[in-house]
Amino acid sequence: MKRFLVLLTALACTLSPAIADNPKADAKAVVTSGNARFTVLTPQLIRMEWSADGQFEDRATLTFVNRETPVPEFKVRESKSKLTITTPALTLTYLKNGKFSDKNLKAVFTLNGKEVVWTPGMENPQNLLGTTRTLDGADGSKLKEPMEQGILSRAGWSLIDDSQRHVLTPDGSEWEEWVEARPEGDRQDLYLFAYGHDYKQALADYALVAGRAPMPPKYTLGYWWSRYWQYSDNEFVDLVNKLKSMDVPIDVLIVDMDWHETWGLRKSNSPKDEYGQRIGWTGYTWQKELFPSPANFLKWTENEELKVALNLHPASGIQPYEAVYDDFTKEYGWSEKGKSVPFKIDERKWAEAYFKTVLEPMERDGVDFWWLDWQQWKESKYTPGLSNTFWLNHTFFNHAERQNPGLRPFIYHRWGGLGSHRYPLAFSGDTYATWPMLAYLPYFTATASNVNYGWWGHDIGGHMFHKTQKATDPELYTRWLQYGVFTPIFKTHSTKDPRIERCIWCFPDHMFLMRDAIRLRYTLAPYIYNAARENYDTGVGMCRPMYYDYPESDKAYETSEQFMFGNDILATTITQPVDSITGLAPRTIWFPEGAWFDCATGSMYEGGRTKSCTTRWRRIPITQKQVRSFR
């Protein structure tokens, strides 16, 4: 047993995010010409810098943390007026007359036998996109915040402009580095990805320079219970006992914001604090009417082998009415006693006091991780241009890593821009519970893999209702659960609305189908775990679009409701109700070349065609790729 534990510890260490990244490139990969500098990171990936003062950046940025890549083969030709860099994949030409523009810089490469020319400022309408910070308020594909561009494109190239992103400066503290703004002055810092349609190689090299997506603990791949509701500790006990009595497995218990005092939120028109937030939205004081002994409650969850997360909205800092106020202000050195301490996670002293006096005591009691339900101002009020979301993720993840060395750290948070994949896991936000929303999620989840942000968790069943919706549609909820089996994080959730129900026993006609979906998730655990490891190794997400494997097929770009779940499962989603007469739900599936086994019907399909299929209630629509072909 001792030897086994040593082996497990060694394995955990090999999968930790503490990889020896070096933001300074090998000098042999660098070509400097006046105020321009070029770094050949791979044959298809070139960093291009220009600065008015001739000073260049060797520190890590929020996006790129490693530039010491194996030096590829390349040739340099330079004259008084022109610099040319040639790799096996492309030719870069710079006319040495100032800041990069379409007049003095171009790259030429070949895509499907045709020459492609890139110059600065080019639009990229064929970019396959990445992801977005939140799906709050989404109903289908109508998003409040548009999808950002990714690193993959049918055009064969993409550009990341890293010129304005903050840098990470080594500081000798336990944090090892802290955020800083870029030096003042006119400068450009561009990364050209020219991978053609070799999408998987582009993702692998993005992981090489932007860092790997760490593997989370195995329990995060199981069933999460979550609902925004004013549960007491005894009600959680009853809930978990009911789940277990029905033989429904569960690994994670989310305690939404009513774990803490909410004060003004109890009123219909709750007042706002000096930061513009509703009083009670931020909170750190246990609500003792619901949790008389938080330590005992957390001990019970430990005995039940449940992992627990608490919800946080940290926008309003530390208020005088919080139980932790005195401890925090003493540690922080706050002189304005009786006044609130504003949120300042980008100040190292504030962050250190915050984790030490506010969060660590609850972690010692048994809180396993934090749900960073951040939805206030996007940028820091103290470090111009810094994403609050990103820096929260960075500090919380690194805190988790330092608190439990040797174990896999993770948090639950929102997308904060490129580089966020280094801090899994993610939640997508407050969507409407509708069929169009369910139909959009497969596309959204798979597309996020284009920036290696594959660890999305959605509110299974949808978060909220429109005014016209009267009650939970059990058919929609069942289909959402069936889809959720094939997503990275399997979490039910909803807002505080008595019309919405997430307990499966409240739907007797569908209850066992719902339970079947949850059980299937656990049956697939080894396969899912393997896909998680593959993401760590290759940069390819667990849910990935069809065009990763079939980039030259138009059909691969048109199948928004199907995706590959790992290497071998083609997953589809039922996005409309069954026919009232036949009891069948339609679905259209594109089968790529090869042989495919329909796990729902037992049928075999020969690939290279699109097929209209129907599915009964009890069948979960997944298809497995077969290694043999038809004769």
Side-chain angles (χ1 to χ4, degrees):
M1 176 60 75
K2 183 177 181 181
R3 181 181 179 184
F4 178 68
L5 291 175
V6 170
L7 178 62
L8 282 181
T9 302
L11 177 62
C13 290
T14 62
L15 300 181
S16 78
I19 300 170
D21 292 324
N22 184 0
K24 187 173 182 178
D26 189 312
K28 296 176 182 178
V30 178
V31 179
T32 303
S33 180
N35 288 39
R37 184 173 78 165
F38 301 89
T39 305
V40 185
L41 296 166
T42 77
Q44 303 94 340
L45 175 56
I46 311 292
R47 184 190 189 194
M48 305 167 291
E49 297 173 273
W50 180 90
S51 68
D53 58 9
Q55 300 297 310
F56 305 108
E57 185 58 73
D58 285 326
R59 290 171 291 182
T61 69
L62 301 190
T63 306
F64 297 103
V65 296
N66 178 56
R67 303 186 189 97
E68 191 181 37
T69 62
V71 179
E73 292 184 9
F74 66 95
K75 296 179 181 179
V76 178
R77 289 179 296 167
E78 186 171 14
S79 66
K80 185 176 180 180
S81 61
K82 184 168 71 172
L83 172 72
T84 302
I85 299 174
T86 303
T87 78
L90 60 81
T91 298
L92 184 78
T93 304
Y94 172 56
L95 303 179
K96 301 188 295 184
N97 60 352
K99 192 172 182 178
F100 299 146
S101 73
D102 60 351
K103 302 295 191 296
N104 64 12
L105 182 66
K106 70 175 181 178
V108 180
F109 64 97
T110 300
L111 174 63
N112 294 337
K114 296 181 180 180
E115 184 180 275
V116 177
V117 179
W118 168 85
T119 59
M122 284 181 62
E123 297 293 326
N124 195 349
Q126 291 184 290
N127 190 280
L128 294 166
L129 302 180
T131 193
T132 188
R133 187 181 70 97
T134 179
L135 290 181
D136 282 356
D139 188 358
S141 59
K142 298 177 182 179
L143 310 183
K144 291 183 178 179
E145 298 186 16
M147 298 274 279
E148 301 172 19
Q149 291 214 332
I151 65 170
L152 309 181
S153 173
R154 293 192 78 174
W157 65 269
S158 65
L159 186 79
I160 295 179
D161 187 345
D162 207 42
S163 307
Q164 302 301 317
R165 294 220 82 185
H166 293 68
V167 295
L168 299 171
T169 302
D171 62 1
S173 72
E174 62 179 359
W175 296 92
E176 298 183 358
E177 57 192 7
W178 203 253
V179 67
E180 282 189 23
R182 291 269 190 158
E184 294 183 358
D186 193 5
R187 60 191 72 247
Q188 295 169 291
D189 192 356
L190 312 177
Y191 290 75
L192 177 64
F193 288 74
Y195 285 82
H197 291 166
D198 193 352
Y199 299 140
K200 290 185 177 181
Q201 187 62 53
L203 290 167
D205 288 349
Y206 177 68
L208 177 66
V209 294
R212 300 195 194 198
M215 280 189 73
K218 187 178 70 172
Y219 65 79
T220 62
L221 306 177
Y223 175 47
W224 297 29
W225 170 270
S226 180
R227 187 189 183 193
Y228 180 24
W229 197 256
Q230 199 172 52
Y231 287 109
S232 69
D233 53 2
N234 287 330
E235 287 172 319
F236 272 122
V237 171
D238 292 341
L239 173 69
V240 171
N241 286 340
K242 180 67 172 180
L243 286 168
K244 292 189 174 183
S245 72
M246 294 185 62
D247 200 19
V248 175
I250 177 174
D251 280 284
V252 177
L253 186 65
I254 298 285
V255 186
D256 212 316
M257 59 182 296
D258 280 303
W259 69 268
H260 65 73
E261 286 287 356
T262 52
W263 293 291
L265 288 181
R266 298 172 183 171
K267 302 176 182 178
S268 57
N269 295 313
S270 57
K272 294 185 178 181
D273 58 28
E274 60 267 52
Y275 309 109
Q277 309 303 316
R278 296 167 66 193
I279 293 176
W281 203 246
T282 295
Y284 302 100
T285 304
W286 281 94
Q287 196 167 166
K288 292 300 182 69
E289 296 91 340
L290 301 177
F291 300 91
S293 176
N296 285 346
F297 169 70
L298 294 170
K299 183 64 177 177
W300 167 78
T301 60
E302 181 182 355
N303 292 338
E304 293 294 318
E305 299 182 334
L306 295 172
K307 300 299 183 180
V308 176
L310 303 184
N311 178 286
L312 292 179
H313 293 88
S316 295
I318 311 299
Q319 294 283 356
Y321 42 75
E322 297 284 6
V324 295
Y325 180 79
D326 289 342
D327 289 341
F328 177 85
T329 53
K330 181 180 179 181
E331 181 69 24
Y332 181 52
W334 183 248
S335 59
E336 300 181 54
K337 294 295 184 182
K339 292 187 177 181
S340 66
V341 188
F343 169 81
K344 196 183 279 192
I345 195 67
D346 46 333
E347 181 187 78
R348 190 176 64 199
K349 181 181 177 182
W350 192 98
E352 289 173 350
Y354 179 68
F355 286 110
K356 180 178 180 179
T357 65
V358 179
L359 301 187
E360 286 182 18
M362 289 186 279
E363 292 169 350
R364 288 192 292 270
D365 281 342
V367 175
D368 295 289
F369 65 100
W370 302 97
W371 175 7
L372 291 171
D373 195 358
W374 176 263
Q375 49 186 270
Q376 283 75 37
W377 55 88
K378 296 179 184 178
E379 293 189 357
S380 166
K381 295 181 179 295
Y382 308 100
T383 304
L386 176 65
S387 164
N388 262 328
T389 306
F390 187 98
W391 198 245
L392 262 175
N393 298 343
H394 178 90
T395 53
F396 268 74
F397 189 89
N398 282 274
H399 165 74
E401 184 178 13
R402 288 185 287 107
Q403 282 294 101
N404 298 289
L407 298 180
R408 299 176 191 169
F410 79 102
I411 54 177
Y412 195 46
H413 64 90
R414 295 178 187 253
W415 162 260
L418 291 174
S420 294
H421 66 280
R422 298 192 298 272
Y423 318 115
L425 309 160
F427 80 102
S428 56
D430 303 345
T431 64
Y432 281 97
T434 65
W435 287 100
M437 189 67 242
L438 173 59
Y440 180 70
L441 286 179
Y443 164 79
F444 177 83
T445 309
T447 301
S449 294
N450 293 347
V451 285
N452 199 10
Y453 201 67
W455 286 107
W456 276 119
H458 307 301
D459 291 354
I460 290 176
H463 181 80
M464 55 194 175
F465 278 0
H466 292 290
K467 291 182 179 179
T468 55
Q469 292 174 270
K470 304 299 183 183
T472 298
D473 178 350
E475 182 178 0
L476 174 60
Y477 185 29
T478 302
R479 292 304 191 192
W480 216 307
L481 280 164
Q482 291 174 344
Y483 160 68
V485 172
F486 305 98
T487 60
I489 304 301
F490 189 56
K491 181 203 72 173
T492 54
H493 187 65
S494 72
T495 190
K496 191 182 289 185
D497 185 334
R499 296 175 296 170
I500 304 177
E501 184 55 72
R502 291 292 170 257
C503 297
I504 66 173
W505 51 86
C506 293
F507 309 100
D509 293 338
H510 300 77
M511 175 177 64
F512 293 110
L513 299 176
M514 295 175 176
R515 188 180 68 173
D516 287 346
I518 299 173
R519 285 177 168 178
L520 177 59
R521 176 72 177 194
Y522 283 82
T523 301
L524 290 170
Y527 179 86
I528 294 171
Y529 190 82
N530 187 64
R533 173 65 199 235
E534 184 188 15
N535 177 222
Y536 174 85
D537 288 333
T538 68
V540 177
M542 184 181 301
C543 297
R544 74 283 295 262
M546 300 299 296
Y547 49 75
Y548 283 17
D549 293 308
Y550 311 97
E552 306 309 329
S553 172
D554 289 339
K555 288 289 186 181
Y557 300 86
E558 300 166 358
T559 54
S560 62
E561 292 173 12
Q562 71 178 67
F563 54 94
M564 291 302 296
F565 185 65
N567 289 326
D568 302 303
I569 291 178
L570 192 164
T572 59
T573 310
I574 303 301
T575 59
Q576 52 187 301
V578 297
D579 182 88
S580 59
I581 297 175
T582 66
L584 300 175
R587 58 184 175 123
T588 300
I589 306 174
W590 171 63
F591 293 103
E593 294 294 334
W596 299 84
F597 174 71
D598 191 331
C599 300
T601 66
S603 301
M604 291 291 295
Y605 299 112
E606 185 173 1
R609 60 175 176 158
T610 299
K611 182 174 177 58
S612 296
C613 308
T614 55
T615 300
R616 295 186 182 277
W617 259 115
R618 294 187 177 277
R619 293 172 177 166
I620 297 177
I622 60 171
T623 310
Q624 183 178 355
K625 187 176 183 180
Q626 299 293 295
V627 295
R628 70 176 181 84
S629 61
F630 285 87
R631 295 293 183 183

